[in-house]
Amino acid sequence: MSIDQAQRVFLLAMCLGLLPVALSYGVVPERSLPLLYGISDPDLPTRHVFRGVMGLYLGMICFWLAGALRPELRIPALWTVFVFVTGIGL
């Protein structure tokens, strides 16, 4: 497998891995928030914050998908993966 193919597979794997996480935050927050964080009855502003997080995650997924498909976006997409996972890790 070439480095180009490995980068594409990595970006696609990141897309697939983050998609369920993104959807769990914002699709039905009144169901997912009690399970994930113990928030028993999230009010409307709290649900909107988690939907906003979902939107950010979906935006990252779209950019990583574009990086997997377009060679000129591949290196910037890989850098955003690095920044994203480093931020989560810290």
Side-chain angles (χ1 to χ4, degrees):
M1 178 181 289
S2 71
I3 193 78
D4 185 57
Q5 290 173 330
Q7 290 172 342
R8 291 179 71 203
V9 168
F10 176 72
L11 287 169
L12 291 172
M14 288 298 296
C15 290
L16 290 175
L18 190 60
L19 185 62
V21 175
L23 295 177
S24 73
Y25 275 118
V27 172
V28 188
E30 50 277 350
R31 280 194 187 161
S32 62
L33 294 180
L35 294 172
L36 294 172
Y37 299 109
I39 301 172
S40 60
D41 189 22
D43 59 350
L44 187 62
T46 303
R47 291 191 306 246
H48 284 318
V49 166
F50 280 92
R51 285 184 180 128
V53 171
M54 178 187 70
L56 290 172
Y57 282 14
L58 291 175
M60 296 303 297
I61 290 168
C62 289
F63 185 62
W64 296 342
L65 185 59
L69 299 176
R70 300 186 62 185
E72 63 271 12
L73 294 176
R74 193 153 304 136
I75 297 301
L78 289 168
W79 274 108
T80 61
V81 169
F82 173 75
V83 171
F84 181 82
V85 297
T86 301
I88 295 224
L90 291 175

